[in-house]
Amino acid sequence: MPPVHPLLFQQILLASTPDDALHRARKTVKQHGGFSAVLAKESPLSPERIHMSQFLMHMMVHMKEMNFTALKDIMGDLVASLTMKQRWKLVWEGSVAASLQMLYEIHPGDSVCVVAIKGGVNCDWEQKQLSDGGKLKKLFPNITLVVFKDTDELEQALSSRGVGAFGQGAS
């Protein structure tokens, strides 16, 4: 399949980028009318492990108040924190799926180009979910994924007004 240019699409969604490129990629996509579904590590929505000191503090406070619902919740959070090492994947899938669903509801009939930047193994996993056979591609079969080698290539593609040979198209 020949390379696909993101400007051929009515909606653009940033869905995968290495951490060190996130802020620049997000800014670039937004400057061109697109959206971002990528969460920064420091985002309050990003999952993090509960430290034992946090757990003990919550336990003491809620036991003193006899708030058993809160105790049950903190125990559940602790178990999830300790057992779901890859919990970020669920958060990422939810963020991207919700973003795509909103785009399709707000702009029915529009074509959506999902853009990504090559990175490490986490980016590879994310991009696989958006490619043929991937979980999100199965849910949203009409999306087109364009993967860029870096943020410079993304900026060049979005700034270009012609159909250029940017990124790797995957449907």
Side-chain angles (χ1 to χ4, degrees):
M1 176 181 197
V4 178
H5 192 281
L7 289 178
L8 296 175
F9 297 86
Q10 293 147 327
Q11 302 300 323
I12 298 171
L13 179 69
L14 176 65
S16 178
T17 180
D19 291 333
D20 62 345
L22 174 59
H23 295 292
R24 184 172 163 207
R26 183 184 285 153
K27 181 180 177 185
T28 299
V29 167
K30 286 183 178 183
Q31 284 175 338
H32 291 88
F35 304 90
S36 175
V38 182
L39 297 173
K41 277 186 178 180
E42 62 272 7
S43 169
L45 298 176
S46 293
E48 60 183 48
R49 191 168 286 256
I50 295 175
H51 298 284
M52 192 53 71
S53 59
Q54 285 177 291
F55 172 71
L56 293 173
M57 178 85 97
H58 283 287
M59 289 291 291
M60 290 181 356
V61 168
H62 294 302
M63 285 194 65
K64 183 178 172 184
E65 297 172 356
M66 297 302 250
N67 186 342
F68 294 111
T69 302
L71 282 173
K72 179 181 160 232
D73 290 344
I74 192 67
M75 290 295 289
D77 288 346
L78 176 66
V79 169
S81 173
L82 295 173
T83 59
M84 293 183 65
K85 293 181 181 178
Q86 301 294 324
R87 189 166 55 162
W88 69 268
K89 290 180 178 181
L90 297 173
V91 174
W92 177 85
E93 285 177 342
S95 177
V96 173
S99 297
L100 287 168
Q101 185 65 37
M102 282 193 290
L103 282 174
Y104 281 119
E105 287 179 11
I106 294 169
H107 305 284
D110 281 7
S111 55
V112 177
C113 180
V114 177
V115 295
I117 298 174
K118 286 190 180 292
V121 294
N122 291 349
C123 289
D124 292 344
W125 180 86
E126 292 168 349
Q127 292 160 21
K128 186 176 178 182
Q129 303 313 304
L130 296 160
S131 300
D132 286 338
K135 185 175 182 178
L136 290 175
K137 180 67 173 183
K138 289 176 184 174
L139 291 172
F140 301 96
N142 296 326
I143 61 171
T144 299
L145 174 63
V146 179
V147 180
F148 296 94
K149 68 178 181 183
D150 57 29
T151 312
D152 290 336
E153 190 179 46
L154 171 68
E155 286 178 348
Q156 184 180 6
L158 293 179
S159 296
S160 166
R161 291 294 169 219
V163 177
F166 301 107
Q168 288 178 279
S171 48

